[in-house]
Amino acid sequence: MKTNKIMDDIRSSISPEMKLQMELSVAIANRIYEILEEKGMSQKDFARLMGKTETEVSRWLSGTHNLTMATICKISAALEEDVIKVADNSYRPEYEYESLMAAEAL
């Protein structure tokens, strides 16, 4: 397979932490895609549900956007699915939309 020397140099110069961040960002985007597919939702539907533009949602789903924990939690609550899971499964969120909306109104 032919490779691009410049891209190979860039890849080799990226820190392990940055590589991990990139991998996790792509994994989160892929998980959101999976959830949308399971629910039969389009990106447009998802943008409407989140109150965001399709452009912003497209950036989220590119796997290159650095989503905040707050945004990941809002996505999980809106989709009623875990976007990320931690090894300790003792924490199981309850998705209470009235409480979430009331808290956002404050």
Side-chain angles (χ1 to χ4, degrees), residues 6-62:
I6 295 171
M7 289 305 292
D8 289 342
D9 289 344
I10 291 170
R11 280 188 207 93
S12 68
S13 69
I14 296 174
S15 69
E17 294 85 9
M18 183 58 76
K19 285 180 184 175
L20 181 58
Q21 181 180 338
M22 291 169 36
E23 290 172 5
L24 289 173
S25 292
V26 169
I28 289 168
N30 287 340
R31 174 66 181 139
I32 295 168
Y33 267 120
E34 287 173 7
I35 295 168
L36 294 178
E37 194 170 273
E38 289 169 7
K39 294 183 175 292
M41 292 178 67
S42 67
Q43 284 188 41
K44 185 176 186 173
D45 297 332
F46 180 49
R48 193 175 308 120
L49 177 67
M50 295 299 298
K52 302 292 181 182
T53 66
E54 289 180 60
T55 302
E56 186 168 5
V57 166
S58 179
R59 278 195 300 266
W60 291 355
L61 298 177
S62 71

Side-chain angles (χ1 to χ4, degrees), residues 50-105:
M50 295 299 298
K52 302 292 181 182
T53 66
E54 289 180 60
T55 302
E56 186 168 5
V57 166
S58 179
R59 278 195 300 266
W60 291 355
L61 298 177
S62 71
T64 58
H65 186 76
N66 189 14
L67 294 168
T68 65
M69 185 62 69
T71 299
I72 293 169
C73 290
K74 286 179 183 180
I75 292 169
S76 292
L79 295 175
E80 298 181 31
E81 294 279 347
D82 291 333
V83 171
I84 57 175
K85 295 181 183 182
V86 294
D88 177 7
N89 287 330
S90 63
Y91 172 73
R92 303 305 307 169
E94 295 295 326
Y95 300 107
E96 298 178 18
Y97 295 102
E98 292 76 17
S99 297
L100 179 64
M101 293 303 155
E104 286 184 357

